[in-house]
Amino acid sequence: MYLTKDRLLEEISNQHLIIRPLIDKDSQVNEISIDFRLGCDFLVSIQGRDSFIDASLNSYSEGNSIEHFFQETRRKIGETFLLHPGQTVLGSSLEYVKLPNNIFAVLNMRSSYSRLGLSISSTLQPGYCGCISLELINTSKNAIKLTTGACLFQARFALIQNQQPYFSRKRKYMCQVRPQLTQFSEDNDLKILNDIWKRDNKI
């Protein structure tokens, strides 16, 4: 069951749910969600020097670097940012968030921006802390100009049974305050599959 407005305000007031800054609580806290603002830092996908992004560990030579395919840029609050058709941009929320260990969040684009062709889909684990990471995709055929600091997406919060503390195990993305590139190469299943590939190819 998702938390309603009264419960959300109670969790914020008791500082069980921490959101900093919550610039306009009256308009950002909705009946079953909270609106979040677009932050100032971006990693923009570009045409890299390599012919493709290698999302495997299987290679006869040194793998290409994911950094070649993204460019870092920053905007001030109130400035605009252009997202081209079919482009993926990594961003983050303006707000820093800390969830208690018994609440998780589901992220969705606000409908006003979904109607333009913007898409995100993600969740925040119980106990998560940091700015919210955004993988923005422009699915439309037109470039979209966004304003940094605007309420772009929303989160719905739900209660679960107490989980182990968020920091009880190693995580790839912890307490980030700026967008981070993918760290798929740390996935254990890829390492196992790469070992199999090396064995079969006698490498």
Side-chain angles (χ1 to χ4, degrees):
M1 181 183 299
Y2 290 114
L3 303 186
T4 59
K5 184 173 185 176
D6 288 344
R7 181 61 183 272
L8 289 170
L9 290 172
E10 179 184 336
E11 295 289 336
I12 292 169
S13 177
N14 294 335
Q15 297 192 37
H16 295 152
L17 172 60
I18 297 173
I19 303 173
R20 298 284 189 276
L22 188 55
I23 295 174
D24 188 355
K25 184 164 59 176
D26 290 338
S27 66
Q28 284 183 249
V29 181
N30 307 306
E31 295 307 314
I32 58 166
S33 65
I34 296 177
D35 291 342
F36 286 89
R37 300 176 183 274
L38 181 63
C40 302
D41 295 288
F42 303 93
L43 291 171
V44 182
S45 62
I46 59 173
Q47 182 65 51
R49 294 190 298 249
D50 298 307
S51 57
F52 61 92
I53 296 176
D54 190 352
S56 78
L57 301 183
N58 298 2
S59 178
Y60 288 101
S61 59
E62 287 296 320
N64 51 33
S65 175
I66 194 70
E67 286 87 357
H68 295 170
F69 297 92
F70 286 86
Q71 184 175 38
E72 186 176 357
T73 186
R74 170 172 254 201
R75 299 291 188 274
K76 294 179 180 178
I77 293 292
E79 287 187 330
T80 56
F81 178 83
L82 198 63
L83 188 60
H84 294 279
Q87 189 176 39
T88 299
V89 170
L90 306 181
S92 59
S93 64
L94 181 67
E95 298 86 356
Y96 184 93
V97 176
K98 174 67 175 73
L99 300 183
N101 289 328
N102 64 338
I103 290 179
F104 75 95
V106 177
L107 306 182
N108 297 100
M109 191 66 64
R110 289 184 59 226
S111 63
S112 296
Y113 290 96
S114 290
R115 295 166 196 233
L116 299 177
L118 283 178
S119 175
I120 61 168
S121 179
S122 190
T123 59
L124 301 180
Q125 299 292 327
Y128 176 86
C129 68
C131 292
I132 300 173
S133 179
L134 303 174
E135 297 83 28
L136 297 170
I137 302 172
N138 180 0
T139 63
S140 78
K141 296 182 179 180
N142 303 289
I144 301 173
K145 184 185 285 186
L146 301 174
T147 304
T148 56
C151 287
L152 188 73
F153 68 102
Q154 58 188 201
R156 291 172 291 164
F157 299 84
L159 283 172
I160 60 171
Q161 296 294 323
N162 280 341
Q163 299 294 300
Q164 290 185 347
Y166 186 72
F167 298 101
S168 62
R169 67 181 180 89
K170 182 181 178 182
R171 296 179 181 273
K172 290 188 290 186
Y173 311 104
M174 295 179 67
C175 301
Q176 61 190 36
V177 294
R178 290 184 176 88
Q180 291 185 5
L181 293 174
T182 176
Q183 297 180 32
F184 68 84
S185 60
E186 294 185 16
D187 289 352
N188 192 53
D189 66 321
L190 282 184
K191 295 174 183 177
I192 294 170
L193 293 169
N194 181 245
D195 288 340
I196 295 171
W197 178 80
K198 286 180 177 178
R199 182 198 65 200
D200 291 347
N201 289 277
K202 298 180 173 56
I203 296 175

